[in-house]
Amino acid sequence: MLANLKMELKTEENDFIPYQKAVILQGILMEQVREEYAAKLHVTGLHPYSQSITNLNGRNIWNICTANEEAFQEIMLPFQEERFSDFYMEDDKWKVSVVQKQLFKIEKKEFMEQYYFENSDRYIQVSFQTPTAFKSQGEYVCMPTLQLIYQSLMKKYDAASDDETVESGEVLEQLLEYSRIVQYQLRSSSYSVHGKRIPAFMGQMKIKVSGPQAMVNFLNLLFHFGEYTGIGIKTAMGMGAVKLIEGRKG
Amino acid sequence: MLANLKMELKTEENDFIPYQKAVILQGILMEQVREEYAAKLHVTGLHPYSQSITNLNGRNIWNICTANEEAFQEIMLPFQEERFSDFYMEDDKWKVSVVQKQLFKIEKKEFMEQYYFENSDRYIQVSFQTPTAFKSQGEYVCMPTLQLIYQSLMKKYDAASDDETVESGEVLEQLLEYSRIVQYQLRSSSYSVHGKRIPAFMGQMKIKVSGPQAMVNFLNLLFHFGEYTGIGIKTAMGMGAVKLIEGRKG
């Protein structure tokens, strides 16, 4: 099951909560989950969830996404309980109220069918809504390439799935051969994690996929999955939140 | 000798002349040069000159740059003559007056010395002022990489020089190893040449060079040379005009 919980947050003074605060919110999130699960996440280093802060028409939206059944049970259920209605952010001395909760969930099977058996769009338009970065050969990369994006998406898809593996060098090569960036607007940005500044980027990108329809569907599937997992590094700390912009079917 | 001629252009109705019109201006330029030289440029396929239209505080500036002595003699001299004071742009029915001419020139030796023997800045900030594109493996590339930029700069440097060659795979590898993009703001764009739309980009980029000072100097030299030659494809038709933004010495 894939799930997305949107919580509208309000401080007493109606403060704007910048995306950077997701680093703090990860702490709030971890306080809600059972110790055993927190320890498991820590040991495996896998993150079958992502969370970020975005701002929508002046409202602070805390997005939490889970990408498999276990994460849903362990993370989403505690947040859905009524008692989770406010919390305190110490650094800023903010008393934060959760004024609205909205949960969207979809069975993985149903999610897959949407892309495998339909004619997905050949144009994929991605908006990188919070700073996004990759690590390659030990260094941060603040300028995206399709290779880094696809590798990250496949890795995250596999990490969230018990039953299947999609990551393969061969598939990657094919995806790269048949797709290219046709439009973009990107700028470098950065994200601070515990005092360390990570070079990153934000913006939009439109990709055209020219291969067989099955490949178009697969890439759409990966990117839509990426809306739950994020793209790149530190997606559990608020980086790499992506949203697909739906265009005309093409 | 390196030279840069800036001509302020004015139409009767004070029209804004978009950068795209440099395609037409290349025709005007070729009319001024001797047939033999035009033929030579055509046969060699080399362009030891670049030209573009930019807009500065509402004024239309036609920039013509030449990157060697011959190009200076053949291209710059005719434009400097007093009789070159107006021309007609048929497509737009614009009678264009040259209201100001400004020539800057520097001997190549002096130009080289500026970079070889001084401590050039480790941060190189480049502004891509007109749509810039590369061709790689037969396809247009509308998103820059340092590799494509450096390859283009070295190729253009060599094309304008009789006496020396800087392009080499080894040097390229070293440049790539010791430099990276640390900041940017880029967006896709396009440029029409005779009805064909070329995908391109515009914007700014800041590069940090971490290698030995000699490498820093060499890269600065290449980029400053690039202000005369442009970067990427179709720089004689107005694409790939770059300008370095001087920062603090660092």
Side-chain angles (χ1 to χ4, degrees), chain A residues 150-163:
Chain A
Y150 295 166
Q151 272 172 339
S152 171
L153 284 172
M154 289 198 279
K155 213 179 282 287
K156 282 173 191 293
Y157 184 92
D158 288 349
S161 311
D162 301 321
D163 46 344

Side-chain angles (χ1 to χ4, degrees), chain B residues 1-3 47-50 65-69 106-109 111-112 114-115 152-164 166 217-231 240 242-244:
Chain B
M1 180 193 290
L2 298 169
H47 297 292
Y49 76 97
S50 67
C65 293
T66 54
N68 64 18
E69 192 66 41
I106 184 170
E107 288 303 325
K108 184 126 177 246
K109 186 165 169 288
F111 172 83
M112 307 280 284
Q114 272 187 21
Y115 302 101
S152 171
L153 284 172
M154 289 198 278
K155 214 179 280 287
K156 282 173 192 292
Y157 184 93
D158 289 349
S161 311
D162 300 323
D163 45 344
E164 43 177 355
V166 297
N217 290 358
F218 177 62
L219 257 188
N220 271 275
L221 169 80
L222 278 185
F223 273 105
H224 279 277
F225 201 81
E227 291 189 305
Y228 295 90
T229 60
I231 290 181
V242 295
K243 208 171 156 43
L244 294 192

Side-chain angles (χ1 to χ4, degrees), chain A residues 76-140:
Chain A
M76 286 302 198
L77 293 188
F79 279 107
Q80 279 182 269
E81 284 173 27
E82 235 172 81
R83 65 165 183 80
F84 187 80
S85 59
D86 51 56
F87 56 90
Y88 189 65
M89 290 174 77
E90 211 167 289
D91 291 8
D92 299 281
K93 308 207 182 319
W94 282 339
K95 191 173 178 310
V96 183
S97 306
V98 181
V99 295
Q100 210 186 351
K101 295 183 191 179
Q102 227 177 14
L103 179 75
F104 172 78
K105 52 183 181 172
I106 185 170
E107 289 302 325
K108 184 125 175 249
K109 188 165 168 286
E110 199 185 325
F111 174 83
M112 308 279 284
E113 281 173 0
Q114 272 186 21
Y115 303 101
Y116 269 148
F117 305 119
E118 286 189 19
N119 279 348
S120 297
D121 203 325
R122 288 193 171 267
Y123 288 92
I124 300 176
Q125 198 163 348
V126 196
S127 169
F128 298 89
Q129 302 200 297
T130 62
T132 305
F134 303 97
K135 217 165 180 177
S136 174
Q137 298 173 322
E139 291 206 34
Y140 292 119

Side-chain angles (χ1 to χ4, degrees), chain A residues 139-140 142-145 177 180-189 197 199-202 205, chain B residues 139-140 142-145 177 180-189 197 199-202 205:
Chain A
E139 291 206 34
Y140 292 119
C142 72
M143 207 163 162
T145 63
E177 189 180 340
R180 61 197 170 89
I181 299 167
V182 290
Q183 214 174 295
Y184 64 91
Q185 181 148 14
L186 296 165
R187 61 179 179 82
S188 56
S189 161
R197 199 187 142 275
F201 68 93
M202 290 180 77
M205 172 187 293
Chain B
E139 290 204 37
Y140 291 118
C142 72
M143 205 160 163
T145 63
E177 190 180 337
R180 61 197 169 89
I181 299 169
V182 290
Q183 212 174 297
Y184 63 93
Q185 181 150 15
L186 296 165
R187 63 179 177 81
S188 55
S189 158
R197 199 187 142 275
F201 68 92
M202 289 179 78
M205 171 187 293

Side-chain angles (χ1 to χ4, degrees), chain B residues 7 9 12-13 22 34 51 70 72 77 82 86 90 93 103 106 131-132 145 151 159 165 168 185 187 208 242 244 248:
Chain B
M7 289 186 277
L9 305 183
E12 285 172 317
E13 307 275 329
R34 290 185 313 121
Q51 57 94 19
E70 188 184 23
F72 180 80
L77 293 189
E82 235 171 82
D86 51 55
E90 211 168 290
K93 307 208 183 321
L103 180 76
I106 184 170
T132 306
T145 63
Q151 273 173 337
T165 318
S168 99
Q185 181 150 15
R187 63 179 177 81
K208 185 183 180 182
V242 295
L244 294 192
R248 51 171 182 76

Side-chain angles (χ1 to χ4, degrees), chain A residues 26-53:
Chain A
Q26 196 201 18
I28 307 286
L29 186 148
M30 292 309 281
E31 281 170 15
Q32 311 307 311
V33 308
R34 291 185 312 122
E35 259 179 52
E36 291 85 342
Y37 187 63
K40 181 179 171 183
L41 288 178
H42 190 73
V43 170
T44 58
L46 297 178
H47 297 292
Y49 76 97
S50 67
Q51 58 92 21
S52 62
I53 279 275

Side-chain angles (χ1 to χ4, degrees), chain A residues 177-243:
Chain A
E177 189 180 340
Y178 288 110
S179 61
R180 61 197 170 89
I181 299 167
V182 290
Q183 214 174 295
Y184 64 91
Q185 181 148 14
L186 296 165
R187 61 179 179 82
S188 56
S189 161
S190 72
Y191 201 78
S192 289
V193 175
H194 308 316
K196 199 175 168 191
R197 199 187 142 275
I198 299 172
F201 68 93
M202 290 180 77
Q204 293 193 5
M205 172 187 293
K206 194 191 225 167
I207 298 162
K208 186 185 179 180
V209 195
S210 62
Q213 187 63 43
M215 184 173 294
V216 179
N217 290 358
F218 177 63
L219 257 188
N220 271 275
L221 170 79
L222 278 184
F223 273 105
H224 279 277
F225 201 82
E227 290 189 305
Y228 294 90
T229 59
I231 291 181
I233 60 172
K234 305 213 186 292
T235 47
M237 284 188 187
M239 293 187 76
V242 295
K243 208 172 155 41

